[in-house]
Every structure is written in structure tokens, then in C-alpha cells.
Amino acid sequence: MTLNKIYVDNLIKTALLEDINYCDVTTDYLIPEEQDGNARFVAKADGIVCGTEVAVRVFTLLDDTVTYEILKKDGEEVQKGDVILTLKGKTRTLLKGERTALNLIQHMSGIATASHRYAQIVEGTNASIADTRKTLPGLRPLQKYAVMTGGAKNHRYNLSDAAMLKDNHIDAAGGITAAITALRKKIGHMTKIEVETRNLDELKEALSAGADIIMLDNMSPVV
């Protein structure tokens, strides 16, 4: 999975506008415009790194003369103290982009690290770990990318990916069978229907009605 560059640029611009606003009072009034500087991103804990290209893009959007070297690529394991990437450029640029870049790479690396931890638990089995749509508004592509970087899988990316009948849909439609029947008449042949079931009776009904995928919602392993 690769990130859409247009999305990444728009997200970063929004974040920078939010943080810098019309100026950086401290940096602009303190640091000479011509001063050059260096920066390093160093891992503060063991984990899976994610978001290196996103972090670098923060600085190159601010100033396209910034140069960098990525030492740890997305998906690589890092140990506390490892240098992830280095940057060279105007000191003002490095200071202005620092917090936005750190926020993004820390958030993405945290997700990738947790994803990797859970994926390792089921390694060697037929099970896989999948995410949800419970993402932060505007950050879904980054968060979904981080999940896959860590070794888990994406579930639905958005509401248009597949039909998913949750309890509220089922109740409003008059039951599982009625809901599946109604959907089959309208959706395209490539769209799958997933049904969220709360007990074994609903599971049996979903199977009989022709559900493509079944979710056991908050059900105990022993039923």
C-alpha cells in the first residue's frame, strides 16, 4: 500500500497552517534567516517505524532545498537510540516543521508497532488481524497505512467499500434475512455483504440468507 501524495501534501499543509498560523514568533524573531542547521530523528523506544516519508515531506514542503537521508524505512524494526532519519536545511525550517513531523511519525509508528505486536500473536495460524473504521477524522489513510506497515490488514476503508449490516441496520430493516434480500436487489455483483451477528441464532440466519462475511460481534470464544 502506498499513500496518495496529494492527500499527504494537503494533510501536512493543513497541519502546518494550524501550527504556524501566520508566523512562528519564537523562531522568526530569534533565528537568522540565513542560518543552517541539522536535525536527527531518534527512536525513543523499540518498535516498528512508520511515516518516514511523511515526516520528511513536512520539511520539503516548507523549503524544497532541505536535504535528508532516511536510515530506517517504514516497516523496519528499530531499537531505542537508533537514528531514523537526518535532515539538513535552514534552521528556521527545521524548527517550524519539527512538531508537525514528530506528531505524524510518532502516531504512525505507534500504530504500526501495536499492529505488529498483534499480528505476531496469530502468526502461523489461519487467522489475521484487521482494523476498523474507528479512525481520527482526516487521518484515516495514514492510520490504515500504518496498520498494514505493522503486518495487520485493513477491513473496510470506508462505507462504499462493502455492505456491512450492523445491529442498527438489521433492526431498522426488519431482520437479517430481510436486510440481505433487500441489499442483493440493489448492490452490484462485486459488492460483498458482511453481517454483524450477536448470537448463534443470528449466525445461522446470516448463513442461510447468503451473507458473504460474518462478524461475531463481542461474542465469547465459548458459546
Side-chain angles (χ1 to χ4, degrees), residues 36-50:
D36 293 320
N38 302 291
R40 299 188 307 160
F41 278 43
V42 180
K44 293 296 185 69
D46 299 348
I48 304 297
V49 69
C50 183

Side-chain angles (χ1 to χ4, degrees), residues 18-204:
E18 178 182 67
D19 198 36
I20 299 174
N21 205 306
Y22 61 90
C23 77
D24 177 346
V25 175
T26 310
T27 299
D28 288 339
Y29 294 162
L30 180 65
I31 306 300
E33 187 175 357
E34 68 278 5
Q35 181 174 320
D36 293 320
N38 302 291
R40 299 188 307 160
F41 278 43
V42 180
K44 293 296 185 69
D46 299 348
I48 304 297
V49 69
C50 183
T52 52
E53 294 283 355
V54 175
V56 163
R57 186 59 177 150
V58 172
F59 300 99
T60 58
L61 269 177
L62 285 169
D63 181 355
D64 60 10
T65 67
V66 170
T67 60
Y68 61 89
E69 182 179 7
I70 295 175
L71 303 174
K72 298 289 185 180
K73 296 181 180 179
D74 286 1
E76 289 189 28
E77 292 191 34
V78 294
Q79 306 296 317
K80 181 179 180 179
D82 285 350
V83 178
I84 297 170
L85 61 90
T86 61
L87 298 146
K88 293 182 180 180
K90 296 300 180 185
T91 303
R92 283 189 179 185
T93 300
L94 300 179
L95 290 171
K96 289 180 181 181
E98 174 188 10
R99 176 43 53 197
T100 296
L102 284 172
N103 285 347
L104 292 171
I105 195 171
Q106 287 173 338
H107 184 63
M108 294 174 71
S109 295
I111 293 172
T113 299
S115 171
H116 181 69
R117 185 183 307 124
Y118 293 124
Q120 282 188 312
I121 294 173
V122 299
E123 189 174 2
T125 72
N126 291 324
S128 59
I129 302 296
D131 58 19
T132 72
R133 283 174 36 251
K134 297 169 185 174
T135 55
L136 295 175
L139 293 182
R140 182 171 297 174
L142 295 189
Q143 294 175 321
K144 291 280 191 178
Y145 170 80
V147 165
M148 293 193 68
T149 298
K153 296 182 178 181
N154 293 155
H155 190 243
R156 282 194 304 175
Y157 201 89
N158 52 50
L159 292 172
S160 64
D161 272 353
M164 183 171 173
L165 294 169
K166 300 176 71 66
D167 52 359
N168 290 332
H169 297 106
I170 293 167
D171 293 342
I176 291 174
T177 301
I180 292 178
T181 301
L183 274 175
R184 286 288 183 210
K185 293 178 180 179
K186 296 181 178 180
I187 61 175
H189 67 284
M190 295 183 67
T191 303
K192 292 186 177 182
I193 297 177
E194 180 171 356
V195 180
E196 186 178 273
T197 60
R198 295 164 285 191
N199 52 58
L200 290 180
D201 288 336
E202 289 186 348
L203 169 62
K204 293 175 182 177

